[in-house]
Amino acid sequence: MEFREIEECGTVRRRWEDMDIDILVKIFQSLTVFERTSGIAHVCSTWRLAACDPFLWRTLDLSMLKSNFIKIPLEPYVYVHGHSDKTLTQFLKIALNLSRGNITSLFFHFNLYVSEDHLTYTAQRCPRLKRLVLPAWNRVETVMIKAIDLWKDLESLTMPSIVNFPRLVQAIATNCRKFSELKIMGPFENYFASSLVTYLPKLKVLSLRCSMLCKDTLIFVLDNLRCLEVLNISHCLLIEAPPPPAPRRIVRQLDKTILEKASHLHYFLACMSDTCNMCQKTRNDEGLMRWYKYDEGLWKEDEVSSLAL
């Protein structure tokens, strides 16, 4: 196959590698990440050079890629089909090879269950990572600390509720000096809040939207994370737990005490309306969102623009 250019004097044959790289990069920019990894880098040396341009690889968005899995009763509570793992392995090898270490933002789908090998391979090849969205940790919790050790520039993390949260935030505090944003997709327990106060007291942005949250935990966060500028509790299932034998109850309106404690924040985002569809979804799911039941892109939303996808 030949590339032709028409001039006044006639037809001049040119090679594909004579195409302008800046034009190629502009064209490749309009392709999806899956199209960019489908073989265009193998056309010729010039196309490969364009396909590796850092401008194309600032963000690796895999938020549309899902695992083929089933839930199981034992850890890690999911079984991922081998073909699904193999497909992800092949894709990561191509994409991370083309990116040449220039990825700064990496997004995974909430139903994409990466393995320990996937995470280790990715961490080693994304040393400049600043933002990570990884809602499913079932298979990687034990190696996440090692990955954090490699991400010195990490600033923002979207993650699920996990058992080993104190160790994680301690690793972030030790290795990620610029870390400032955290989004937790799942119940936010008291020990989560204590760990943040202990290890990440300078955290600036925290989103707990669509999660279960105790009123006492919210007050603890407001009292002790004094550097916090933005707190999002929109659509949370806010629970008040009085001393036994009194039952827990759902808080449907923020009281004066909470509003006063939140007054130092730049933005305090809250919605607990009985007429709000998202609030209703959180209550129906008892504070543990079953995102698979809803519109595909709903889990990507956030009232904090820097945390939305």
Side-chain angles (χ1 to χ4, degrees):
M1 186 167 56
E2 296 173 319
F3 171 71
R4 295 170 178 255
E5 180 184 76
I6 307 299
E7 295 184 347
E8 292 183 2
C9 58
T11 300
V12 178
R13 296 179 184 273
R14 296 181 59 191
R15 298 177 300 175
W16 282 106
E17 51 263 45
D18 291 333
M19 291 184 70
D20 186 85
I21 290 182
D22 291 336
I23 294 177
L24 284 171
V25 171
K26 190 68 176 178
I27 294 172
F28 294 167
Q29 185 184 357
S30 66
L31 304 178
T32 68
V33 67
F34 304 104
E35 291 169 334
R36 273 186 251 143
T37 55
S38 62
I40 60 174
H42 298 300
V43 172
C44 63
S45 58
T46 302
W47 280 44
R48 181 169 184 81
L49 190 61
C52 294
D53 190 281
F55 184 78
L56 299 175
W57 295 103
R58 293 173 184 170
T59 297
L60 181 56
D61 187 354
L62 305 183
S63 63
M64 299 300 292
L65 188 62
K66 308 176 189 178
S67 297
N68 181 11
F69 70 97
I70 58 172
K71 297 283 188 178
I72 57 176
L74 302 176
E75 289 187 5
Y77 306 113
V78 291
Y79 170 78
V80 179
H81 193 279
H83 179 71
S84 185
D85 269 348
K86 184 177 179 180
T87 299
L88 179 59
T89 297
Q90 293 173 339
F91 176 82
L92 286 174
K93 284 184 176 180
I94 297 172
L96 297 179
N97 183 40
L98 292 174
S99 71
R100 296 182 177 178
N102 287 301
I103 293 171
T104 57
S105 296
L106 179 58
F107 308 147
F108 291 96
H109 193 277
F110 73 89
N111 271 342
L112 182 58
Y113 294 94
V114 299
S115 68
E116 292 185 353
D117 289 341
H118 291 146
L119 184 64
T120 300
Y121 185 85
T122 301
Q124 292 170 346
R125 288 158 181 80
C126 296
R128 301 178 185 177
L129 196 67
K130 294 183 178 180
R131 183 184 179 194
L132 174 65
V133 175
L134 184 57
W137 286 29
N138 298 57
R139 307 167 71 199
V140 298
E141 189 170 337
T142 57
V143 299
M144 181 56 74
I145 304 299
K146 294 180 180 179
I148 292 295
D149 290 344
L150 300 175
W151 289 326
K152 306 297 184 184
D153 295 328
L154 191 67
E155 300 175 3
S156 176
L157 175 64
T158 296
M159 58 171 287
S161 297
I162 62 169
V163 174
N164 241 335
F165 189 73
R167 282 192 62 206
L168 173 74
V169 292
Q170 185 177 11
I172 292 174
T174 301
N175 295 285
C176 313
R177 299 299 183 180
K178 298 179 182 179
F179 192 83
S180 61
E181 289 188 339
L182 178 64
K183 177 176 180 177
I184 297 179
M185 299 177 66
F188 187 73
E189 306 288 351
N190 288 331
Y191 77 94
F192 278 42
S194 298
S195 299
L196 288 181
V197 170
T198 301
Y199 298 112
L200 294 176
K202 296 183 179 180
L203 188 69
K204 295 185 181 299
V205 179
L206 177 62
S207 178
L208 307 172
R209 74 184 308 267
C210 301
S211 299
M212 182 186 292
L213 175 64
C214 286
K215 181 180 177 180
D216 289 343
T217 304
L218 173 59
I219 292 174
F220 181 81
V221 167
L222 292 172
D223 282 342
N224 293 281
L225 284 179
R226 302 306 299 176
C227 292
L228 200 63
E229 298 176 359
V230 180
L231 176 60
N232 185 13
I233 62 167
S234 298
H235 323 301
C236 276
L237 183 65
L238 189 61
I239 301 295
E240 186 170 21
R248 300 194 310 172
R249 70 178 187 88
I250 298 176
V251 177
R252 299 182 182 275
Q253 186 174 357
L254 298 175
D255 59 32
K256 184 178 179 180
T257 300
I258 291 177
L259 294 176
E260 286 179 350
K261 291 179 180 295
S263 62
H264 73 279
L265 299 171
H266 294 180
Y267 297 98
F268 181 46
L269 305 167
C271 177
M272 298 171 187
S273 172
D274 290 335
T275 60
C276 172
N277 288 332
M278 280 307 306
C279 289
Q280 291 175 4
K281 288 180 172 64
T282 306
R283 291 170 189 170
N284 292 340
D285 289 346
E286 299 179 334
L288 186 59
M289 294 297 292
R290 295 166 177 83
W291 294 107
Y292 62 85
K293 299 193 303 183
Y294 308 117
D295 293 342
E296 173 59 36
L298 196 61
W299 70 275
K300 301 179 182 181
E301 296 179 3
D302 200 290
E303 290 71 20
V304 181
S305 59
S306 60
L307 291 172
L309 298 185

PDB file of all heavy atoms in Angstrom, residues 41 45-54 57 92-103 124-128:
ATOM      1  N   ALA A  41       0.467   0.945  15.421  1.00  0.00           N
ATOM      2  CA  ALA A  41       1.892   1.170  15.656  1.00  0.00           C
ATOM      3  C   ALA A  41       2.769   0.279  14.786  1.00  0.00           C
ATOM      4  O   ALA A  41       3.982   0.500  14.690  1.00  0.00           O
ATOM      5  CB  ALA A  41       2.221   0.937  17.133  1.00  0.00           C
ATOM      6  N   SER A  45       7.533   2.859  11.013  1.00  0.00           N
ATOM      7  CA  SER A  45       8.257   3.474  12.130  1.00  0.00           C
ATOM      8  C   SER A  45       7.667   4.827  12.508  1.00  0.00           C
ATOM      9  O   SER A  45       7.616   5.185  13.694  1.00  0.00           O
ATOM     10  CB  SER A  45       9.741   3.623  11.776  1.00  0.00           C
ATOM     11  OG  SER A  45       9.903   4.408  10.600  1.00  0.00           O
ATOM     12  N   THR A  46       7.224   5.600  11.505  1.00  0.00           N
ATOM     13  CA  THR A  46       6.649   6.912  11.791  1.00  0.00           C
ATOM     14  C   THR A  46       5.330   6.785  12.538  1.00  0.00           C
ATOM     15  O   THR A  46       5.069   7.518  13.498  1.00  0.00           O
ATOM     16  CB  THR A  46       6.419   7.705  10.487  1.00  0.00           C
ATOM     17  OG1 THR A  46       7.668   7.843   9.805  1.00  0.00           O
ATOM     18  CG2 THR A  46       5.853   9.080  10.788  1.00  0.00           C
ATOM     19  N   TRP A  47       4.509   5.841  12.129  1.00  0.00           N
ATOM     20  CA  TRP A  47       3.237   5.634  12.811  1.00  0.00           C
ATOM     21  C   TRP A  47       3.465   5.145  14.241  1.00  0.00           C
ATOM     22  O   TRP A  47       2.728   5.525  15.157  1.00  0.00           O
ATOM     23  CB  TRP A  47       2.380   4.626  12.035  1.00  0.00           C
ATOM     24  CG  TRP A  47       1.685   5.236  10.849  1.00  0.00           C
ATOM     25  CD1 TRP A  47       2.222   6.089   9.942  1.00  0.00           C
ATOM     26  CD2 TRP A  47       0.326   5.022  10.456  1.00  0.00           C
ATOM     27  NE1 TRP A  47       1.299   6.435   8.999  1.00  0.00           N
ATOM     28  CE2 TRP A  47       0.120   5.786   9.287  1.00  0.00           C
ATOM     29  CE3 TRP A  47      -0.711   4.251  10.958  1.00  0.00           C
ATOM     30  CZ2 TRP A  47      -1.111   5.808   8.618  1.00  0.00           C
ATOM     31  CZ3 TRP A  47      -1.937   4.266  10.303  1.00  0.00           C
ATOM     32  CH2 TRP A  47      -2.135   5.045   9.142  1.00  0.00           C
ATOM     33  N   ARG A  48       4.479   4.332  14.438  1.00  0.00           N
ATOM     34  CA  ARG A  48       4.771   3.871  15.802  1.00  0.00           C
ATOM     35  C   ARG A  48       5.241   5.036  16.670  1.00  0.00           C
ATOM     36  O   ARG A  48       4.855   5.146  17.835  1.00  0.00           O
ATOM     37  CB  ARG A  48       5.825   2.772  15.795  1.00  0.00           C
ATOM     38  CG  ARG A  48       6.117   2.263  17.206  1.00  0.00           C
ATOM     39  CD  ARG A  48       6.947   1.002  17.224  1.00  0.00           C
ATOM     40  NE  ARG A  48       7.105   0.510  18.592  1.00  0.00           N
ATOM     41  CZ  ARG A  48       6.195  -0.198  19.251  1.00  0.00           C
ATOM     42  NH1 ARG A  48       5.054  -0.518  18.670  1.00  0.00           N
ATOM     43  NH2 ARG A  48       6.410  -0.599  20.487  1.00  0.00           N
ATOM     44  N   LEU A  49       6.064   5.891  16.086  1.00  0.00           N
ATOM     45  CA  LEU A  49       6.539   7.062  16.831  1.00  0.00           C
ATOM     46  C   LEU A  49       5.366   7.945  17.240  1.00  0.00           C
ATOM     47  O   LEU A  49       5.296   8.431  18.372  1.00  0.00           O
ATOM     48  CB  LEU A  49       7.531   7.851  15.977  1.00  0.00           C
ATOM     49  CG  LEU A  49       8.314   8.963  16.680  1.00  0.00           C
ATOM     50  CD1 LEU A  49       9.165   8.393  17.809  1.00  0.00           C
ATOM     51  CD2 LEU A  49       9.195   9.703  15.672  1.00  0.00           C
ATOM     52  N   ALA A  50       4.421   8.129  16.316  1.00  0.00           N
ATOM     53  CA  ALA A  50       3.233   8.935  16.621  1.00  0.00           C
ATOM     54  C   ALA A  50       2.353   8.240  17.661  1.00  0.00           C
ATOM     55  O   ALA A  50       1.800   8.882  18.564  1.00  0.00           O
ATOM     56  CB  ALA A  50       2.438   9.200  15.351  1.00  0.00           C
ATOM     57  N   ALA A  51       2.234   6.914  17.549  1.00  0.00           N
ATOM     58  CA  ALA A  51       1.389   6.154  18.478  1.00  0.00           C
ATOM     59  C   ALA A  51       1.943   6.149  19.893  1.00  0.00           C
ATOM     60  O   ALA A  51       1.212   5.862  20.841  1.00  0.00           O
ATOM     61  CB  ALA A  51       1.237   4.722  17.980  1.00  0.00           C
ATOM     62  N   CYS A  52       3.225   6.465  20.037  1.00  0.00           N
ATOM     63  CA  CYS A  52       3.858   6.523  21.354  1.00  0.00           C
ATOM     64  C   CYS A  52       3.967   7.942  21.896  1.00  0.00           C
ATOM     65  O   CYS A  52       4.568   8.162  22.955  1.00  0.00           O
ATOM     66  CB  CYS A  52       5.264   5.911  21.294  1.00  0.00           C
ATOM     67  SG  CYS A  52       5.307   4.142  20.943  1.00  0.00           S
ATOM     68  N   ASP A  53       3.386   8.892  21.196  1.00  0.00           N
ATOM     69  CA  ASP A  53       3.487  10.279  21.642  1.00  0.00           C
ATOM     70  C   ASP A  53       2.895  10.441  23.043  1.00  0.00           C
ATOM     71  O   ASP A  53       1.783   9.967  23.313  1.00  0.00           O
ATOM     72  CB  ASP A  53       2.744  11.196  20.658  1.00  0.00           C
ATOM     73  CG  ASP A  53       3.021  12.667  20.926  1.00  0.00           C
ATOM     74  OD1 ASP A  53       2.403  13.227  21.859  1.00  0.00           O
ATOM     75  OD2 ASP A  53       3.845  13.246  20.210  1.00  0.00           O
ATOM     76  N   PRO A  54       3.601  11.105  23.956  1.00  0.00           N
ATOM     77  CA  PRO A  54       3.119  11.264  25.342  1.00  0.00           C
ATOM     78  C   PRO A  54       1.741  11.903  25.444  1.00  0.00           C
ATOM     79  O   PRO A  54       0.990  11.611  26.383  1.00  0.00           O
ATOM     80  CB  PRO A  54       4.193  12.150  25.981  1.00  0.00           C
ATOM     81  CG  PRO A  54       5.422  11.896  25.174  1.00  0.00           C
ATOM     82  CD  PRO A  54       4.941  11.683  23.775  1.00  0.00           C
ATOM     83  N   TRP A  57      -1.062   9.491  25.818  1.00  0.00           N
ATOM     84  CA  TRP A  57      -1.023   8.534  26.924  1.00  0.00           C
ATOM     85  C   TRP A  57      -1.009   9.176  28.296  1.00  0.00           C
ATOM     86  O   TRP A  57      -0.572   8.560  29.265  1.00  0.00           O
ATOM     87  CB  TRP A  57       0.190   7.616  26.748  1.00  0.00           C
ATOM     88  CG  TRP A  57       0.069   6.781  25.522  1.00  0.00           C
ATOM     89  CD1 TRP A  57       0.708   6.961  24.325  1.00  0.00           C
ATOM     90  CD2 TRP A  57      -0.789   5.652  25.342  1.00  0.00           C
ATOM     91  NE1 TRP A  57       0.317   6.011  23.424  1.00  0.00           N
ATOM     92  CE2 TRP A  57      -0.604   5.183  24.018  1.00  0.00           C
ATOM     93  CE3 TRP A  57      -1.678   4.973  26.169  1.00  0.00           C
ATOM     94  CZ2 TRP A  57      -1.289   4.089  23.513  1.00  0.00           C
ATOM     95  CZ3 TRP A  57      -2.361   3.881  25.665  1.00  0.00           C
ATOM     96  CH2 TRP A  57      -2.162   3.443  24.353  1.00  0.00           C
ATOM     97  N   LEU A  92      -2.865  -4.730  28.412  1.00  0.00           N
ATOM     98  CA  LEU A  92      -1.962  -3.928  29.241  1.00  0.00           C
ATOM     99  C   LEU A  92      -0.542  -3.937  28.670  1.00  0.00           C
ATOM    100  O   LEU A  92       0.138  -2.900  28.681  1.00  0.00           O
ATOM    101  CB  LEU A  92      -1.950  -4.450  30.677  1.00  0.00           C
ATOM    102  CG  LEU A  92      -3.197  -4.146  31.519  1.00  0.00           C
ATOM    103  CD1 LEU A  92      -3.104  -4.857  32.864  1.00  0.00           C
ATOM    104  CD2 LEU A  92      -3.376  -2.641  31.716  1.00  0.00           C
ATOM    105  N   LYS A  93      -0.098  -5.064  28.165  1.00  0.00           N
ATOM    106  CA  LYS A  93       1.255  -5.144  27.600  1.00  0.00           C
ATOM    107  C   LYS A  93       1.404  -4.188  26.414  1.00  0.00           C
ATOM    108  O   LYS A  93       2.411  -3.479  26.300  1.00  0.00           O
ATOM    109  CB  LYS A  93       1.567  -6.576  27.174  1.00  0.00           C
ATOM    110  CG  LYS A  93       1.887  -7.503  28.336  1.00  0.00           C
ATOM    111  CD  LYS A  93       2.287  -8.895  27.845  1.00  0.00           C
ATOM    112  CE  LYS A  93       2.695  -9.781  29.018  1.00  0.00           C
ATOM    113  NZ  LYS A  93       3.100 -11.142  28.566  1.00  0.00           N
ATOM    114  N   ILE A  94       0.409  -4.160  25.549  1.00  0.00           N
ATOM    115  CA  ILE A  94       0.479  -3.282  24.380  1.00  0.00           C
ATOM    116  C   ILE A  94       0.383  -1.820  24.801  1.00  0.00           C
ATOM    117  O   ILE A  94       1.209  -0.984  24.403  1.00  0.00           O
ATOM    118  CB  ILE A  94      -0.648  -3.617  23.386  1.00  0.00           C
ATOM    119  CG1 ILE A  94      -0.471  -5.046  22.847  1.00  0.00           C
ATOM    120  CG2 ILE A  94      -0.654  -2.629  22.226  1.00  0.00           C
ATOM    121  CD1 ILE A  94      -1.653  -5.533  22.014  1.00  0.00           C
ATOM    122  N   ALA A  95      -0.629  -1.504  25.604  1.00  0.00           N
ATOM    123  CA  ALA A  95      -0.868  -0.110  25.987  1.00  0.00           C
ATOM    124  C   ALA A  95       0.290   0.463  26.798  1.00  0.00           C
ATOM    125  O   ALA A  95       0.754   1.585  26.539  1.00  0.00           O
ATOM    126  CB  ALA A  95      -2.169  -0.006  26.780  1.00  0.00           C
ATOM    127  N   LEU A  96       0.791  -0.295  27.769  1.00  0.00           N
ATOM    128  CA  LEU A  96       1.863   0.224  28.618  1.00  0.00           C
ATOM    129  C   LEU A  96       3.188   0.298  27.873  1.00  0.00           C
ATOM    130  O   LEU A  96       4.044   1.125  28.192  1.00  0.00           O
ATOM    131  CB  LEU A  96       1.988  -0.642  29.872  1.00  0.00           C
ATOM    132  CG  LEU A  96       0.745  -0.638  30.776  1.00  0.00           C
ATOM    133  CD1 LEU A  96       0.952  -1.535  31.981  1.00  0.00           C
ATOM    134  CD2 LEU A  96       0.399   0.784  31.221  1.00  0.00           C
ATOM    135  N   ASN A  97       3.361  -0.549  26.870  1.00  0.00           N
ATOM    136  CA  ASN A  97       4.548  -0.462  26.032  1.00  0.00           C
ATOM    137  C   ASN A  97       4.514   0.809  25.186  1.00  0.00           C
ATOM    138  O   ASN A  97       5.518   1.524  25.064  1.00  0.00           O
ATOM    139  CB  ASN A  97       4.646  -1.695  25.134  1.00  0.00           C
ATOM    140  CG  ASN A  97       5.912  -1.687  24.283  1.00  0.00           C
ATOM    141  OD1 ASN A  97       6.981  -1.319  24.745  1.00  0.00           O
ATOM    142  ND2 ASN A  97       5.770  -2.088  23.031  1.00  0.00           N
ATOM    143  N   LEU A  98       3.352   1.103  24.612  1.00  0.00           N
ATOM    144  CA  LEU A  98       3.221   2.317  23.800  1.00  0.00           C
ATOM    145  C   LEU A  98       3.313   3.584  24.651  1.00  0.00           C
ATOM    146  O   LEU A  98       3.799   4.615  24.191  1.00  0.00           O
ATOM    147  CB  LEU A  98       1.881   2.299  23.052  1.00  0.00           C
ATOM    148  CG  LEU A  98       1.716   1.248  21.952  1.00  0.00           C
ATOM    149  CD1 LEU A  98       0.295   1.263  21.410  1.00  0.00           C
ATOM    150  CD2 LEU A  98       2.715   1.479  20.821  1.00  0.00           C
ATOM    151  N   SER A  99       2.833   3.512  25.887  1.00  0.00           N
ATOM    152  CA  SER A  99       2.792   4.714  26.729  1.00  0.00           C
ATOM    153  C   SER A  99       4.172   5.167  27.194  1.00  0.00           C
ATOM    154  O   SER A  99       4.369   6.322  27.544  1.00  0.00           O
ATOM    155  CB  SER A  99       1.922   4.455  27.956  1.00  0.00           C
ATOM    156  OG  SER A  99       2.563   3.569  28.857  1.00  0.00           O
ATOM    157  N   ARG A 100       5.117   4.241  27.240  1.00  0.00           N
ATOM    158  CA  ARG A 100       6.500   4.552  27.618  1.00  0.00           C
ATOM    159  C   ARG A 100       6.598   5.289  28.947  1.00  0.00           C
ATOM    160  O   ARG A 100       7.391   6.221  29.119  1.00  0.00           O
ATOM    161  CB  ARG A 100       7.177   5.365  26.508  1.00  0.00           C
ATOM    162  CG  ARG A 100       7.318   4.606  25.196  1.00  0.00           C
ATOM    163  CD  ARG A 100       8.030   5.403  24.131  1.00  0.00           C
ATOM    164  NE  ARG A 100       8.206   4.613  22.918  1.00  0.00           N
ATOM    165  CZ  ARG A 100       8.779   5.082  21.794  1.00  0.00           C
ATOM    166  NH1 ARG A 100       9.216   6.333  21.758  1.00  0.00           N
ATOM    167  NH2 ARG A 100       8.905   4.306  20.741  1.00  0.00           N
ATOM    168  N   GLY A 101       5.770   4.902  29.899  1.00  0.00           N
ATOM    169  CA  GLY A 101       5.843   5.459  31.242  1.00  0.00           C
ATOM    170  C   GLY A 101       5.238   6.831  31.413  1.00  0.00           C
ATOM    171  O   GLY A 101       5.462   7.484  32.438  1.00  0.00           O
ATOM    172  N   ASN A 102       4.450   7.286  30.434  1.00  0.00           N
ATOM    173  CA  ASN A 102       3.914   8.653  30.483  1.00  0.00           C
ATOM    174  C   ASN A 102       2.503   8.761  31.056  1.00  0.00           C
ATOM    175  O   ASN A 102       1.955   9.860  31.130  1.00  0.00           O
ATOM    176  CB  ASN A 102       3.924   9.257  29.074  1.00  0.00           C
ATOM    177  CG  ASN A 102       5.321   9.605  28.597  1.00  0.00           C
ATOM    178  OD1 ASN A 102       6.009  10.392  29.229  1.00  0.00           O
ATOM    179  ND2 ASN A 102       5.747   8.997  27.501  1.00  0.00           N
ATOM    180  N   ILE A 103       1.893   7.648  31.457  1.00  0.00           N
ATOM    181  CA  ILE A 103       0.526   7.684  31.981  1.00  0.00           C
ATOM    182  C   ILE A 103       0.506   8.367  33.353  1.00  0.00           C
ATOM    183  O   ILE A 103       1.270   8.010  34.253  1.00  0.00           O
ATOM    184  CB  ILE A 103      -0.047   6.263  32.103  1.00  0.00           C
ATOM    185  CG1 ILE A 103      -0.225   5.651  30.708  1.00  0.00           C
ATOM    186  CG2 ILE A 103      -1.383   6.262  32.853  1.00  0.00           C
ATOM    187  CD1 ILE A 103      -0.583   4.178  30.716  1.00  0.00           C
ATOM    188  N   GLN A 124       4.800  -0.950  37.826  1.00  0.00           N
ATOM    189  CA  GLN A 124       6.194  -0.818  37.391  1.00  0.00           C
ATOM    190  C   GLN A 124       6.334   0.023  36.132  1.00  0.00           C
ATOM    191  O   GLN A 124       7.393   0.623  35.903  1.00  0.00           O
ATOM    192  CB  GLN A 124       6.781  -2.212  37.154  1.00  0.00           C
ATOM    193  CG  GLN A 124       6.941  -3.031  38.421  1.00  0.00           C
ATOM    194  CD  GLN A 124       7.302  -4.472  38.142  1.00  0.00           C
ATOM    195  OE1 GLN A 124       7.190  -4.961  37.007  1.00  0.00           O
ATOM    196  NE2 GLN A 124       7.755  -5.186  39.167  1.00  0.00           N
ATOM    197  N   ARG A 125       5.266   0.091  35.326  1.00  0.00           N
ATOM    198  CA  ARG A 125       5.337   0.801  34.055  1.00  0.00           C
ATOM    199  C   ARG A 125       4.576   2.129  34.044  1.00  0.00           C
ATOM    200  O   ARG A 125       4.462   2.752  33.001  1.00  0.00           O
ATOM    201  CB  ARG A 125       4.825  -0.131  32.934  1.00  0.00           C
ATOM    202  CG  ARG A 125       5.832  -1.241  32.634  1.00  0.00           C
ATOM    203  CD  ARG A 125       5.196  -2.440  31.981  1.00  0.00           C
ATOM    204  NE  ARG A 125       6.206  -3.476  31.732  1.00  0.00           N
ATOM    205  CZ  ARG A 125       6.643  -4.307  32.673  1.00  0.00           C
ATOM    206  NH1 ARG A 125       6.159  -4.241  33.894  1.00  0.00           N
ATOM    207  NH2 ARG A 125       7.572  -5.215  32.378  1.00  0.00           N
ATOM    208  N   CYS A 126       4.084   2.522  35.200  1.00  0.00           N
ATOM    209  CA  CYS A 126       3.419   3.841  35.318  1.00  0.00           C
ATOM    210  C   CYS A 126       4.021   4.617  36.481  1.00  0.00           C
ATOM    211  O   CYS A 126       3.321   4.976  37.445  1.00  0.00           O
ATOM    212  CB  CYS A 126       1.917   3.660  35.537  1.00  0.00           C
ATOM    213  SG  CYS A 126       1.042   2.876  34.187  1.00  0.00           S
ATOM    214  N   PRO A 127       5.312   4.924  36.424  1.00  0.00           N
ATOM    215  CA  PRO A 127       5.971   5.572  37.569  1.00  0.00           C
ATOM    216  C   PRO A 127       5.515   7.009  37.810  1.00  0.00           C
ATOM    217  O   PRO A 127       5.740   7.545  38.906  1.00  0.00           O
ATOM    218  CB  PRO A 127       7.454   5.531  37.168  1.00  0.00           C
ATOM    219  CG  PRO A 127       7.431   5.522  35.663  1.00  0.00           C
ATOM    220  CD  PRO A 127       6.232   4.710  35.294  1.00  0.00           C
ATOM    221  N   ARG A 128       4.864   7.624  36.823  1.00  0.00           N
ATOM    222  CA  ARG A 128       4.437   9.026  36.958  1.00  0.00           C
ATOM    223  C   ARG A 128       2.964   9.163  37.334  1.00  0.00           C
ATOM    224  O   ARG A 128       2.409  10.252  37.259  1.00  0.00           O
ATOM    225  CB  ARG A 128       4.689   9.770  35.636  1.00  0.00           C
ATOM    226  CG  ARG A 128       6.146   9.750  35.195  1.00  0.00           C
ATOM    227  CD  ARG A 128       6.316  10.463  33.865  1.00  0.00           C
ATOM    228  NE  ARG A 128       7.677  10.358  33.368  1.00  0.00           N
ATOM    229  CZ  ARG A 128       8.092  10.847  32.193  1.00  0.00           C
ATOM    230  NH1 ARG A 128       7.225  11.466  31.409  1.00  0.00           N
ATOM    231  NH2 ARG A 128       9.348  10.714  31.820  1.00  0.00           N
TER     232      ARG A 128
END
